[in-house]
Amino acid sequence: MGADGTSLFTPEQLAFCQALPKIELHAHLNGSIRPSTMEELSQQLDGAPISLPELQRLIRQTTMIGFHFLPLPSASPTLLLAASRTLGECFKLFDVIHRITTTHEAIQRITREVLEDMAADNVVYAELRTTPKARPEQGMTKESYLDAVFRGIADYYASSRRAADIQVRLLLSIDRRQSAEEAMDTARLAVQLKDEGVAGLDLSGNPSVGQWGTWRPALDYARQHGLKVTVHAGEVWNPEETAAILAWRPDRIGHMCCLDETLEKQLLDSYIPLELCLSSNVCTESVPSYAAHHFSAFHATGHPVVLCTDDTGVFATSLSREYALAAAAFGLSNEQLTQLALAAADYTFLEPGEQRALRERMEAAVEVERIDNSSSPFCLFCSKDSCS
Ligand SMILES: CNc1ncnc2c1ncn2[C@@H]1O[C@H](COP(=O)(O)O)[C@@H](O)[C@H]1O
Ligand SMILES: [Zn+2]
């Protein structure tokens, strides 16, 4: 374990995590944009309200986080120095990203690329979330924004040799800057698209903005119409709101970094699955270090937890890296990592039969990996030099 805010994982740990079939349940579409695409799209900006040098500075700063993964000489582990990007800076960057992804073409492209990146990382099931946006100046409505997302998904399936490898559902996000009416529009849209691959609703956005009561009717509406709901909560210290969200009992909750003893007990009693994003929380300083991340305490009690990325483009990470970080920071064995990955099937917003089928598909893939690795002198599945 490195010093505060640093963590160590070995190339073998990362290789194991890359080979593991994984489930991604907390990924924001625009936050998962490839830095190279961000840079390319920014060149096409014309008369943007943000200057190109400033945009380039922000993009460089993002890519720099990626450069903090320093490969050391072969026998040494990979060193990750977590660069920090406060939540405020993070939301400035989202505004920038949104300025360069204003067209249907850009949305379609980043959707395809995000799926390509996930499949290459051995993600076998993903719930991708995004905030539908109306941009009248671009002839974009919330519906046409989502059509572009669906076209991006179709493009991925049409072009990928690994198409069968990844199953996708969408979650529609409500941004905390939105009014009750805007939130309700998104909830109605999600209900209309239930049979088209929309599995649920998400509440996200700058945690310091807005009031829980504003969006609650929209979330009630979605729930009454059979959709699942996940909510970002406790990303900053706001005990009243966190308690109200827990009392509402979302189907899953993201983050929950800032809890006191009472809230922690309520959460444990609720048994609500937690979506945990280590790099995001450390980079935004919602938690002080990997070692101090609450993943460890919740995982140790048997509380349902799932590792997720949040924003691979903003935090320069991947789901494999998040698993490797957890392995290193909390001393998880390969078997524990495997069980963690498999258990996520139960926390998806799929029907129970589909969850079982997903888990079986993952178990079969794990079995193939075990057999493939059984002849290797270094067993990926037990971290021993040889496996008996
Ligand atoms: C870092 N922690 C976070 N906390 C809260 N909300 C976040 C977030 N990361 C991302 N988002 C939400 O996702 C949007 C970008 O994707 P979409 O435009 O919807 O595809 C951001 O604008 C924010 O609302
Ligand atoms: Zn998030």
Side-chain angles (χ1 to χ4, degrees):
M1 174 67 54
D4 202 37
T6 68
S7 186
L8 300 164
F9 57 80
T10 63
E12 287 79 14
Q13 280 173 313
L14 184 60
F16 176 83
C17 295
Q18 280 164 341
L20 198 59
K22 294 171 292 295
I23 289 179
E24 172 67 86
L25 296 183
H26 188 140
H28 299 268
L29 175 64
N30 280 278
S32 305
I33 186 173
R34 286 178 187 162
S36 56
T37 300
M38 225 192 291
E39 194 151 21
E40 191 188 317
L41 293 177
S42 75
Q43 311 296 327
Q44 297 161 13
L45 270 187
D46 200 17
I50 180 161
S51 72
L52 198 56
E54 169 68 357
L55 182 60
Q56 280 164 343
R57 192 187 62 77
L58 282 162
I59 292 167
R60 263 201 313 278
Q61 212 178 325
T62 298
T63 335
M64 283 304 288
I65 298 179
F67 293 158
H68 285 272
F69 291 86
L70 302 174
L72 295 176
S74 57
S76 312
T78 300
L79 173 67
L80 170 69
L81 295 171
S84 72
R85 177 184 290 286
T86 63
L87 265 177
E89 282 174 333
C90 215
F91 283 95
K92 245 168 71 184
L93 185 57
F94 286 127
D95 285 345
V96 173
I97 295 171
H98 289 147
R99 281 177 206 167
I100 59 176
T101 59
T102 50
T103 64
H104 293 107
E105 291 73 26
I107 295 300
Q108 183 173 344
R109 170 182 173 174
I110 63 171
T111 305
R112 174 180 51 77
E113 290 180 347
V114 167
L115 295 182
E116 284 171 0
D117 293 347
M118 285 180 176
D121 195 37
N122 251 324
V123 172
V124 294
Y125 173 83
E127 287 175 9
L128 186 59
R129 59 185 79 189
T130 193
T131 320
K133 296 164 189 77
R135 293 192 174 104
E137 69 287 359
Q138 297 280 352
M140 184 186 279
T141 61
K142 285 187 177 184
E143 288 82 355
S144 72
Y145 175 98
L146 288 174
D147 282 344
V149 173
F150 285 123
R151 280 198 301 278
I153 297 173
D155 284 352
Y156 167 75
Y157 284 121
S159 65
S160 172
R161 280 183 291 113
R162 311 188 45 155
D165 294 358
I166 182 165
Q167 210 183 341
V168 186
R169 293 289 185 276
L170 281 183
L171 307 181
L172 304 196
S173 300
I174 293 168
D175 186 324
R176 294 178 65 111
R177 287 176 295 193
Q178 292 177 330
S179 65
E181 293 71 36
E182 287 173 291
M184 190 57 90
D185 280 350
T186 300
R188 282 203 202 94
L189 203 49
V191 171
Q192 276 168 28
L193 295 171
K194 221 175 123 196
D195 297 328
E196 318 290 326
V198 172
L201 215 59
D202 157 58
L203 174 67
S204 52
N206 191 334
S208 306
V209 171
Q211 306 286 330
W212 161 245
T214 308
W215 320 290
R216 191 184 149 154
L219 302 183
D220 283 333
Y221 176 87
R223 172 172 275 178
Q224 283 153 13
H225 287 80
L227 282 177
K228 303 278 188 181
V229 178
T230 176
V231 176
H232 284 58
E235 206 174 0
V236 294
W237 177 241
N238 187 346
E240 293 80 20
E241 181 185 272
T242 308
I245 291 173
L246 272 173
W248 190 79
R249 291 196 58 88
D251 299 284
R252 289 197 311 253
I253 303 193
H255 299 306
M256 285 298 217
C257 310
C258 305
L259 302 174
D260 60 14
E261 262 177 48
T262 315
L263 288 168
E264 194 176 309
K265 182 165 184 329
Q266 273 172 29
L267 175 56
L268 284 169
D269 291 346
S270 76
Y271 218 64
I272 297 173
L274 269 183
E275 304 157 357
L276 296 177
C277 314
L278 305 184
S279 292
S280 167
N281 294 156
V282 172
C283 289
T284 60
E285 298 175 355
S286 293
V287 302
S289 68
Y290 288 100
H293 198 282
H294 48 297
F295 169 91
S296 174
F298 282 97
H299 184 241
T301 65
H303 191 89
V305 288
V306 53
L307 286 172
C308 308
T309 56
D310 217 5
D311 303 286
T312 50
V314 173
F315 302 116
T317 192
S318 66
L319 195 52
S320 301
R321 270 188 175 140
E322 296 301 302
Y323 272 74
L325 283 166
F330 314 118
L332 302 182
S333 67
N334 288 347
E335 193 51 41
Q336 283 175 304
L337 291 169
T338 306
Q339 293 312 320
L340 193 62
L342 292 175
D346 294 346
Y347 317 138
T348 63
F349 288 168
L350 292 171
E351 299 299 328
E354 295 172 311
Q355 290 180 341
R356 273 194 301 279
L358 173 60
R359 187 171 171 126
E360 282 164 17
R361 186 156 72 92
M362 292 173 77
E363 281 169 346
V366 166
E367 215 36 59
V368 169
E369 277 296 320
R370 282 193 214 274
I371 293 163
D372 283 355
N373 283 298
S374 59
S375 58
S376 156
F378 183 88
C379 176
L380 282 178
F381 276 86
C382 68
S383 310
K384 289 180 194 152
D385 285 348
S386 62
C387 181
S388 49

